Each structure stands twice: as C-alpha cells, then as structure tokens.
Amino acid sequence: MARLILQLDSIYKSFNKKQVLNDVSVSLYQGQITTLIGPNGAGKSTLAKIILGLVKPDSGARISPVPLKIGYMPQKIKIDPTLPISTYRFLQLANTSQSACNEALETVGISHLTATPIQNLSGGELQRALLARAILRQPNLLVLDEPVQGVDVNGQNELYKMINSLAKTLDCGVLMVSHDLHLVMSATDQVICLNGHICCHGRPEHITQDPAFLNIFGQTTAIYTHRHDHSLHEERLNAGPHQPGNCRNHD
Amino acid sequence: MIDFLLYALLAGLGVGLVAGPLGCFVVWRRMAYFGDTLAHSALLGVSLGVMLDINLNITVTAIPLMMALGLVFLEQRGLLSLDTLLGILSHSALAAGLIVISLLPDVRVDLMSLLFGDLLAVTKSDLGVIYSVSAVVLILLAILWKQLINITVNPELAAIEGTNVTVVSTALMLITALVIALAMKVVGVLLITALLIIPAATARRLSHTPEKMAVVASIIAMTTVVMGLAMSWFIDTPAGPSVVVSAALLFCLSLLYRRQLN
C-alpha cells in the first residue's frame, strides 16, 4: 500500500457567504497521480490552495503524516516585463544550487533557454520552466494547476508524459487540477470530480461511467438521460466520502 | 557660505542612493500610485506634526505607514478595487493635509517647499537623519533582497517555498514610508514618485539582472540630483522640479540607446 502523504478531512470553505467547498475529503498517496476535475467555479483552485496551505479552511483538518515538501506549478504566472530576470535566475529563487537548477532545466528539456528572459518564453516553454521550478526542491507532493493550459495538443501529450515519468522518478504524490479529463485519463490513478462537494471519485475508467460525472461533463460526448439518484452509483463506485443527499448543487 | 550647496548636494546624493533600488520595486510591483498615496499622506503627517507639536520626522514616517496598513486592510475586504481605494485615499490625504495646515493659526508653513521640496534649506542635522535612515534602508533591502525578488516574481510560489510573504511585504511598505519621508526634503510630496520611478525605468533598458538594475538606478538618481542642483544654481530654477526634469531628460536619452545584440 502506498504511503499517505496528505489527508484533507471534511473541509468546508466559504467566501463572502458563498459556500465553495462542502464536506470535501481527499487523500493523496506517494507515487499516485490524482486528478481533480470539475466545471468552472467548482472550487478546484480553492481546494488546491487549501492543499498547498495557502488558504485556511473554515473547518476540517489537513493532516500530513510525513514532513511535507510541496512543489507547485501555478496555473498562470505574470511577471512584469520591467523585471529583468532570466529563466535560470527564476529557478534559483527556489534553490540556489547550480547543479540542481541545470539538472531541472535538462529534465524538462529547456536547457537551451537558460539565459532567456522569463517573459520571453512561449506558453509551452513557460509551463516547462514552472515545472522545473516545482521539482527543484525534491518535493514529495507535486501540485499542478492546469499544467497544460495554453499548450498545443502535441505539447500537451509531451507534458503529460513528462509529469508521469517525473512522478515515478521523484516517487512523489501528484495532484493535478484539470477541466478536461480526456487527455489525463491514462495517466491518472485516481479522479476526484468536484462541484462544491465531491460528486464522485475513483479510478478514471469508473468515473467516466458515473452518472454524476456524465451529468457535468457528458453532454457533448454521451447521450445520457440523467436521473439523479445517488444510490445507483454508490454501489458501482464504492466511493468513500460520498454520501447520498449531500449533492445539493445539481439536481 | 557655499555650505548650503554642499549640504544640498550631500542630502540629494543620500536620497538618490536609496531611491534607486526602492524605485525598482515600485516599478516591478506596479506601486506607482501606491507611492503617490503614501507621499500625499506625508503632507498630512507634516501638518499633524506641527499641530500636535511632535517631531516631524516621526509623523512624516508614521502617517504614510498607517496609511499603507489601512490600505492593506481595506484591500483584503475586497469592497473596491485597489486602484479606486488608492484614488480615494491619495487625494483625501492631500486635501486633509492642506486643510489642517490652513487651520494652524500662528504657524506659517511654507507650503511650496512641502509640495515641491526645498533642497537648498537642508541643514547639517538633516544630513545626519538622511544618512542614518538611508543606511537602515540599504541594510534592510540587502537582508531581504532575495525574498523581495521572490515575492515580486510570484507571491504564491514564494509562500510555498517558505517565504513569509506578509512580513516581507510589510517590511517593503515600511521601507517605502521611510524613503518617502526622506525624499520629501529633496523633491516634495508631489514629485516623490517621479524620483523613484524615472531612474528605475531608465535603468531597465541598461540592465539584465535585478541587481544591476538597482545599482544603475541608484547611479542615475544621484546623477539627476547633481544635474538638478547645477540647473538650479546656474539658471536659478527651483531645485526639486529641476531634479525631476533632469531625470526625465536622462530617461529620454536612454530611449535612444539601443540594446546591443550579442
């Protein structure tokens, strides 16, 4: 059994009286890739920030049985063009070791861009630079927020392959936030479908059959008449934190 | 006899030295309007200091600092955009400062020197204050340099990697308030932001690392002080505006400079 790295237990969070996360529990394990999916406004980024420790939940526990070292790849990053900073220097902010920086640049395949100003990188190159910075400190948990945003399809496949092999070599847990399940399917051990609360979770091949998933994502890919009845997929999934009746957001 | 010119020069150089690196952060973090707001509130600091008979150096630093902390508080409540908040506070502080000054019955405060600086009136004891505060500012910047760059690039990454973002950004506000209190003597509350921003913007075109940009900005700021004073001496113009005009002139010259390609 893989080692538990981080556990969130029954997290609640609201902003300006709007409930964003409702009784959300997540467990992240060493060597496992977990993908967090959900429509816009589902609370994915908030959940990721709670996992990162940047946002405090209103209630619920964040427990880590091991010393946590997080590598984070933000969704987008905007650096003012007046700040003269090279890609190499950008990495050095996280880890001053020269060999570590060079190695990370090598790993993500942009060692030819060492001296390039970070603002001049293309979308795909910037994603790689961010990934390089995320792995610099030898993390045991990688959190990737929409890691392939703004990257073309070929580049997306390459990035996913890279993330996959990194998860293996670093032997770390990975949490990936995405709004598109199709590309990440094969590379994911666990999928959590979020819409304020956890609609369903489990292995990707199960998730895609789940009525709650289809209700949110399936309209374009499957013709399906949804009868919202949690007892149906409860049996099929054996999902842990999912309780019938806590699914108030979509009916 | 020529003492006042020497004092003015030394005072201007001391302020220019710290205006360079701090100005870089103002440019990188897009804090120009923020700087303006703090500068305007420094006028309120002067008038309150005179009214309540407190050491002006204290009120001129404390009021902008309180303004900065108030801004952070209001911004976190998210009622209005930062831009609008700055607009409200900046001009309210300026207006309130002017009103308090007008209410002081017996004291005659030279409003022009507060608004546009009075470099030629710097005394020996002012020099002591300027150089000790400059030293404190430079030491703080040196200690916090890496963390300041880190939160400027991306505060979230910095926080995850172990930087205490709140402490570091509050320290930057304190530094800004200190430098504004100093720069007031040189260019006055209305022109402080110019002394911070223009040398840094000029240095951008000549630098490819943050450190180089900070050093170049310092050198440019000190050069503009010398140019401004010379202008003031030879053609009898007001010193503060002359310094700013010199800075603008150097900026225009830097536009002509083309980056060499390797």
Side-chain angles (χ1 to χ4, degrees):
Chain A
M1 184 63 194
R3 257 175 84 183
L4 181 69
I5 295 175
L6 183 72
Q7 186 173 353
L8 295 188
D9 199 23
S10 189
I11 298 288
Y12 287 83
K13 178 74 192 173
S14 61
F15 290 111
N16 297 325
K17 291 180 183 156
K18 187 180 177 287
Q19 197 71 31
V20 181
L21 294 175
N22 218 325
D23 193 18
V24 172
S25 301
V26 175
S27 300
L28 300 172
Y29 295 94
Q30 187 175 20
Q32 250 197 30
I33 299 182
T34 303
T35 301
L36 184 62
I37 54 166
N40 289 335
K44 301 189 296 284
S45 290
T46 306
L47 183 57
K49 283 191 175 133
I50 288 173
I51 287 171
L52 290 165
L54 292 174
V55 169
K56 289 228 176 327
D58 296 338
S59 72
R62 177 176 179 268
I63 309 148
S64 162
V66 290
L68 200 58
K69 204 164 199 185
I70 299 179
Y72 173 50
M73 181 173 168
Q75 190 177 121
K76 49 184 181 285
I77 180 169
K78 222 184 148 314
I79 302 173
D80 199 274
T82 54
L83 179 64
I85 185 165
S86 67
T87 304
Y88 183 77
R89 186 66 200 279
F90 174 74
L91 294 195
Q92 264 203 329
L93 291 171
N95 184 340
T96 46
S97 149
Q98 198 173 343
S99 57
C101 288
N102 285 329
E103 199 185 316
L105 284 168
E106 189 95 22
T107 309
V108 301
I110 53 167
S111 34
H112 58 292
L113 298 171
T114 307
T116 311
I118 190 97
Q119 296 95 342
N120 292 6
L121 299 187
S122 72
E125 289 163 352
L126 182 62
Q127 295 303 98
R128 282 163 189 249
L130 289 171
L131 185 59
R133 180 158 167 177
I135 61 173
L136 256 181
R137 294 159 68 247
Q138 301 289 324
N140 53 9
L141 177 63
L142 261 184
V143 178
L144 315 166
D145 196 351
E146 305 269 6
V148 298
Q149 227 190 21
V151 180
D152 63 44
V153 178
N154 282 336
Q156 289 187 1
N157 280 324
E158 258 179 64
L159 259 176
Y160 280 128
K161 266 186 209 148
M162 195 178 287
I163 289 165
N164 228 344
S165 75
L166 277 175
K168 287 205 180 73
T169 38
L170 289 167
D171 196 24
C172 60
V174 177
L175 177 83
M176 206 156 17
V177 179
S178 172
H179 57 249
D180 172 31
L181 185 61
H182 302 289
L183 264 166
V184 288
M185 273 280 282
S186 57
T188 298
D189 299 298
Q190 185 193 197
V191 175
I192 295 171
C193 173
L194 189 74
N195 193 10
H197 61 292
I198 292 185
C199 294
C200 51
H201 83 170
R203 296 198 56 79
E205 56 271 26
H206 292 141
I207 287 290
T208 45
Q209 306 295 315
D210 192 280
F213 174 81
L214 290 170
N215 187 39
I216 296 170
F217 292 97
Q219 285 87 346
T220 52
T221 50
I223 300 164
Y224 174 82
T225 331
H226 182 53
R227 273 173 46 242
H228 196 81
D229 182 352
H230 276 276
S231 62
L232 285 177
H233 62 267
E234 198 68 9
E235 299 159 317
R236 202 180 320 170
L237 248 184
N238 242 343
H242 188 69
Q243 296 298 320
N246 73 357
C247 201
R248 322 188 186 94
N249 288 4
H250 54 91
D251 252 314
Chain B
M1 180 204 90
I2 202 92
D3 274 1
F4 73 95
L5 191 61
L6 181 67
Y7 291 162
L9 185 65
L10 288 176
L13 290 177
V15 172
L17 185 69
V18 289
L22 183 72
C24 288
F25 282 107
V26 173
V27 168
W28 295 334
R29 298 170 63 83
R30 304 187 173 205
M31 286 164 52
Y33 208 173
F34 177 80
D36 252 354
T37 308
L38 295 201
H40 289 174
S41 67
L43 184 72
L44 186 60
V46 173
S47 44
L48 285 178
V50 172
M51 192 169 83
L52 306 171
D53 198 19
I54 308 172
N55 183 327
L56 290 189
N57 286 321
I58 295 173
T59 52
V60 162
T61 314
I63 297 287
L65 197 59
M66 281 159 61
M67 183 69 94
L69 297 175
L71 255 173
V72 172
F73 174 75
L74 286 174
E75 193 198 358
Q76 278 169 352
R77 312 207 60 183
L79 296 172
L80 290 166
S81 76
L82 184 60
D83 198 47
T84 308
L85 278 176
L86 286 170
I88 293 170
L89 290 178
S90 168
H91 299 109
S92 309
L94 186 61
L98 292 170
I99 284 182
V100 174
I101 286 177
S102 76
L103 288 178
L104 299 171
D106 302 322
V107 197
R108 285 195 59 84
V109 181
D110 182 2
L111 199 55
M112 283 300 274
S113 79
L114 288 175
L115 293 178
F116 300 108
D118 196 1
L119 192 50
L120 297 172
V122 169
T123 62
K124 216 173 192 173
S125 71
D126 285 337
L127 275 184
V129 172
I130 287 177
Y131 275 90
S132 30
V133 174
S134 293
V136 170
V137 166
L138 284 184
I139 290 168
L140 277 175
L141 281 177
I143 294 172
L144 295 173
W145 186 261
K146 199 193 153 189
Q147 286 156 302
L148 282 168
I149 298 280
N150 213 348
I151 66 166
T152 301
V153 167
N154 188 290
E156 285 189 343
L157 283 174
I160 288 160
E161 288 159 9
T163 302
N164 190 330
V165 178
T166 320
V167 169
V168 178
S169 46
T170 311
L172 184 62
M173 281 184 196
L174 173 67
I175 294 171
T176 312
L178 285 174
V179 173
I180 281 170
L182 288 188
M184 219 178 128
K185 292 201 192 330
V186 180
V187 286
V189 291
L190 291 185
L191 296 176
I192 286 173
T193 323
L195 187 65
L196 293 175
I197 286 180
I198 303 176
T202 312
R204 173 64 183 101
R205 301 180 62 80
L206 314 171
S207 326
H208 56 271
T209 67
E211 292 73 22
K212 192 176 170 199
M213 183 164 154
V215 172
V216 173
S218 252
I219 294 169
I220 291 173
M222 291 192 281
T223 311
T224 60
V225 166
V226 177
M227 287 169 67
L229 271 176
M231 194 170 147
S232 175
W233 179 255
F234 288 113
I235 51 176
D236 201 22
T237 50
S242 305
V243 170
V244 173
V245 165
S246 307
L249 204 68
L250 283 187
F251 175 74
C252 292
L253 279 178
S254 84
L255 293 178
L256 300 174
Y257 175 86
R258 275 173 201 270
R259 267 272 177 75
Q260 293 157 313
L261 301 166
N262 347 319

